[in-house]
Amino acid sequence: DQQVKQNSPSLSVQEGRISILNCDYTNSMFDYFLWYKKYPAEGPTFLISISSIKDKNEDGRFTVFLNKSAKHLSLHIVPSQPGDSAVYFCAALGPSGAGSYQLTFGKGTKLSVIP
Amino acid sequence: GAVVSQHPSRVICKSGTSVKIECRSLDFQATTMFWYRQFPKKSLMLMATSNEGSKATYEQGVEKDKFLINHASLTLSTLTVTSAHPEDSSFYICSARALTGPPNTEAFFGQGTRLTVV
């Protein structure tokens, strides 16, 4: 059962417009959420995060919104740039059965920003 | 920012041989390191959680005898793929966490290792 879902495998956006990447989760024990950006053949790069006690976190062109009641978060990129083209992973942090914390990833959304 | 170095970035090995992948935290002590595997067009899948000085915790379905994990120090964890087979060919990524628990928790990732078994 997938606990973190990114239902859109791909997204195309015109340069300068807003990119909205969505993520849904099912586990109410998740208390911290992160977005990572990944280029081909590279490890993910941390982008932005949000604690479950907040509903918005902004960093430059990137803003993450959290709707805890809907178990939904989204990443907004505005304005979108061609260099933003990458795969974006949503991840949720919560207690694992082994007593430590564990990151659970979505399957990713491939963003293509068209010049 | 925190840096995690993973080595090698690419490796090709013959079927039946073993391959060791290193994950180092360069400027912080990592009490916990994570090993992931990425299959084509799929998400990162957690293989195991490695805690310094203790045995790794493997996820269900991951063969602990095949994927040996050693976290001998606070800055180094290794993943050894033993008796590698072509189906083990994949992209392996490690991450390290400097602090435990939220809200100041971020996982810093290595660059990944592309393993090809021929």
Side-chain angles (χ1 to χ4, degrees), chain A residues 31-32 36 38 43-44 105-107, chain B residues 38 43 102-103 105 107 109-111:
Chain A
D31 47 19
Y32 198 69
Y36 291 88
K38 184 183 181 298
F105 284 85
K107 289 189 175 182
Chain B
Q38 184 178 29
S43 178
T105 302
F109 284 84
Q111 304 92 323

Side-chain angles (χ1 to χ4, degrees), chain A residues 38-94:
Chain A
K38 184 183 181 298
Y39 293 111
E42 292 183 9
T45 303
F46 171 74
L47 201 58
I48 192 169
S49 63
I50 188 168
S51 167
S52 62
I53 61 174
K54 295 186 175 181
D55 54 19
K56 177 182 175 181
N57 188 24
E58 190 173 351
D59 183 4
R61 295 186 298 115
F62 303 92
T63 303
V64 56
F65 295 93
L66 175 62
N67 184 334
K68 207 174 172 186
S69 59
K71 293 191 176 69
H72 175 84
L73 64 154
S74 60
L75 173 67
H76 292 212
I77 306 172
V78 54
S80 302
Q81 299 173 354
D84 296 330
S85 297
V87 178
Y88 289 80
F89 288 97
C90 167
L93 186 67

Side-chain angles (χ1 to χ4, degrees), chain B residues 23-41:
Chain B
C23 182
R24 292 181 185 273
S25 56
L26 297 185
D27 55 2
F28 65 97
Q29 292 184 328
T31 53
T32 305
M33 288 187 174
F34 302 87
W35 287 95
Y36 297 85
R37 180 174 177 177
Q38 184 178 29
F39 294 95
K41 298 182 180 180

Side-chain angles (χ1 to χ4, degrees), chain B residues 79-113:
Chain B
L79 167 68
T80 302
V81 183
T82 63
S83 187
H85 290 281
E87 56 266 30
D88 299 325
S89 299
S90 189
F91 194 58
Y92 294 86
I93 306 171
C94 71
S95 73
R97 183 165 303 146
L99 301 171
T100 57
N104 297 317
T105 302
E106 295 172 6
F108 301 96
F109 284 84
Q111 304 92 323
T113 298

